[in-house]
């Protein structure tokens, strides 16, 4: 699994929708296709890309194949996003301080 494969897998909106769906729990390809508005062959192709990127695992349960989310590769993405999260946090903190310094100009509304 490479970082490039992760980003490529998540670049597609349908695959992001599948990942979000699997966050709630395991699904069969039929359930994924139905809930994401895809044909079964299209859902299977998207799942193959997600499996190859390491984001999805498949397990056999009787006659069904259940697809589950593998959270481990998300740590790579989280590490990449960490400096940006810090940047946004600092920016939002500065905005909060600035807003706190402004006088409250809202007037109370008269009650009926």
């Amino acid at each position: 699994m490479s970082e490039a494969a992760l980003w490529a897998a998540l670049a597609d909106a349908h695959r992001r929708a599948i990942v979000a769906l699997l966050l709630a729990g395991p699904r069969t390809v039929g359930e994924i296709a139905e809930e994401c508005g895809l044909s079964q062959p299209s859902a299977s192709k998207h799942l193959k890309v997600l499996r190859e990127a390491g984001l999805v695992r498949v397990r056999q349960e009787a006659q069904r194949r259940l697809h589950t989310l593998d959270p481990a590769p998300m740590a790579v993405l989280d590490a990449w996003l960490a400096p940006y999260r810090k940047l946004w946090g600092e920016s939002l903190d500065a905005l909060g301080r600035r807003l706190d310094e402004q006088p409250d100009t809202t007037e109370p509304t008269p009650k009926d």
Side-chain angles (χ1 to χ4, degrees):
M1 166 218 23
S2 72
E3 189 175 322
L6 288 173
W7 288 112
L10 294 172
D12 183 274
H14 289 112
R15 290 192 286 268
R16 288 192 307 273
I18 291 170
V19 167
L21 180 62
L22 292 177
L23 187 59
R27 300 282 196 283
T28 65
V29 69
E31 293 167 336
I32 292 167
E34 183 178 328
E35 293 185 48
C36 291
L38 299 168
S39 68
Q40 194 158 340
S42 180
S44 292
K45 288 179 183 177
H46 287 300
L47 284 164
K48 180 181 178 191
V49 172
L50 292 168
R51 276 193 318 274
E52 289 173 350
L55 291 163
V56 170
R57 287 186 247 154
V58 183
R59 75 173 192 269
Q60 192 78 28
E61 190 176 278
Q63 303 299 336
R64 301 171 2 143
R65 295 181 72 202
L66 291 175
H67 298 79
T68 59
L69 190 60
D70 184 348
M74 294 295 187
V76 173
L77 302 176
D78 185 55
W80 186 88
L81 288 169
Y84 299 97
R85 192 176 303 110
K86 182 181 178 208
L87 175 71
W88 273 105
E90 290 170 358
S91 296
L92 291 174
D93 288 345
L95 175 61
R97 285 190 301 274
R98 176 73 181 217
L99 292 173
D100 288 343
E101 293 169 359
Q102 299 296 315
D104 187 6
T105 59
T106 58
E107 305 251 342
T109 56
K111 296 187 178 186
D112 292 332

